[in-house]
Amino acid sequence: MTAPLVPAPLPHSVTVDLGGRTALVTGAAGGIGRACALRLAAAGAKVRAVDRDAAGLEELAARGAGLGGTVESVVLDLTDLDAAEQAAAGTDILVNNAGLQLVRPIEEFPPEVFHTVLTVMLEAPFRLIRGALPHMYGQGWGRIVNLSSVHGLRASAFKSAYVSAKHGLEGLSKTAALEGAPHGVTSNCVNPGYVRTPLVERQISDQAAAHGIPEEQVLTEVLLKDAALKRLVEPHEVAEAVAYLCTPQASFITGTSLALDGGWTAH
Ligand code: NAD
């Protein structure tokens, strides 16, 4: 009997009480960010949901109403780095999640897109951490969770900007872990394989063109080629790992990278 391609919905695996905590989640209108925002709100957190997609944030806030905590929308383009740093002031939990992807060979990769990817996925997290640390250090407690990827640990062809940004994020996360340790602040990466989100759906046609194969073969021959588990990860599974890293039981876990990659990096 083979494992199902989409796992049945499960109850939360982690009991986490974040009552009284403020959590900032970037990219909260997207697939993984939305799941993280809702998961942390369900744990009682006051969630500051940041995204440039105002309509997506509105939908999220409506969905978040009635959970244990609250969801407040902050419409912000993270390429405005000063605004990003200011938005992070006073948060107890920071989830650096916003991201974007372009699949192109290096010689065809637009330099301005490379610059934007590095700005949103590496420089903005640095500025957000910078903005969040004074409050975290002041109270002797903080949680930084960086949505990295298998591509923070492994490269794939045609993803130069994304792989560069994620490898940089791994270094930033580990540095924050070393500096934050004496202040009760942990910093970790979560490293999913391919998650069922708009970001993945949008790259199917580009992957087909870059690899010269039909779109219907992209999932099995490109995206899941190196994974032992031949299915996409669900956003709520990633959010559960993020919630776990915010528990008191995870206080000794810092500077690490938690792979949810279906065995990809076991190779
Ligand atoms: P998504 O496209 O569904 O969501 C990304 C969100 O980021 C969007 O809501 C978008 O509006 C926001 N965003 C992008 N640029 C922004 C900017 N300049 N300012 C403000 N917001 C901005 O993507 P996702 O799949 O949910 O990815 C979330 C994170 O998880 C990313 O960092 C991604 O690299 C990482 N990740 C995704 C996968 C996957 O398979 N989907 C796998 C591993 C890691």
Side-chain angles (χ1 to χ4, degrees), residues 170-215:
E170 295 278 329
L172 174 65
S173 182
K174 284 187 256 191
T175 306
L178 297 184
E179 294 185 18
H183 305 281
V185 175
T186 67
S187 173
N188 292 287
C189 285
V190 171
N191 302 59
Y194 284 99
V195 190
R196 191 187 306 281
T197 70
L199 184 137
V200 166
E201 282 154 19
R202 277 194 299 268
Q203 67 177 272
I204 302 269
S205 58
D206 280 355
Q207 288 276 16
H211 289 269
I213 56 173
E215 286 190 20

Side-chain angles (χ1 to χ4, degrees), residues 30-32 51 76-78 97 148 162 166 193 195 197 200 202:
I32 297 170
D51 207 293
L76 178 64
D77 190 318
L78 292 167
N97 165 79
S148 179
Y162 188 89
K166 292 301 191 193
V195 190
T197 70
V200 166
R202 277 194 299 268

